[in-house]
Amino acid sequence: MYQLYLTSLRPDASQQGAVIEDLRALQRSPHVAQNSSLRRQYVIFARLINLRLPLPEGLLTAPVPIEDPRSDLGVRSVPESQGVTDVETALAKDPCRPDLWLAAALAHLHGGNTARAHRLLRRLAASRYPERAQAQAILARSVALAYRRAA
């Protein structure tokens, strides 16, 4: 995003089309849409770029968050005070706790690291722990959302 801003500061306006296309790609990016800090950064940089290059009105708004696979499942989210590193540390100390697998997966989903989240969820879904049903439901919802976005 910072590089786009630097590109918009060039004296010639020949890069305007490329900057607009890159902003559109960022706005549609699932990684930016899922991460609240990246959404805020996007808005800030889009407004800064708009000072130099006029942008379409739709590019000045934050990317729309993608539907969360955890919604409608009644799954408890990881408390804000307990970050991903805290959960991963606890999981490393005691890897036999399925509640930590689920908490770590949800923290990674919230943070945008879907690859790690899906690995943990697949591991939990294949286990015999009672939390396997929640993991299977979250994975099923994630797959359904991925196919819906691709269509």
Side-chain angles (χ1 to χ4, degrees), residues 3 5 7 11 19 28 30 40 45 55 61 69 87 89 92 102 115 119 124 128 131-132 137 140 142 147-148:
Q3 187 60 43
Y5 172 68
T7 303
V19 169
R28 289 188 303 256
R40 284 190 301 271
F45 279 107
L55 295 175
T61 59
V87 175
T89 303
L102 189 59
R119 276 196 308 273
L124 184 57
R128 294 182 185 255
E131 290 86 356
R132 76 183 271 175
S142 292
Y147 279 112
R148 189 175 351 150

Side-chain angles (χ1 to χ4, degrees), residues 94-99 101 123-136:
D94 189 4
C96 294
R97 287 187 49 198
D99 60 319
W101 292 356
R123 180 179 171 191
L124 184 57
S127 73
R128 294 182 185 255
Y129 291 114
E131 290 86 356
R132 76 183 271 175
Q134 284 182 317
Q136 290 170 346

Side-chain angles (χ1 to χ4, degrees), residues 33-74:
Q34 288 176 337
N35 192 322
S36 61
S37 65
L38 288 178
R39 285 194 309 266
R40 284 190 301 271
Q41 287 177 11
Y42 173 86
V43 170
I44 290 168
F45 279 107
R47 289 178 182 170
L48 287 172
I49 292 169
N50 191 45
L51 294 174
R52 174 77 173 106
L53 298 172
L55 295 175
E57 205 51 42
L59 289 179
L60 296 176
T61 59
V64 177
I66 295 171
E67 189 176 347
D68 191 356
R70 299 171 292 169
S71 63
D72 300 335
L73 293 174

Side-chain angles (χ1 to χ4, degrees), residues 74-87:
V75 176
R76 177 185 61 82
S77 182
V78 177
E80 292 298 323
S81 62
Q82 187 178 20
V84 175
T85 55
D86 296 337
V87 175

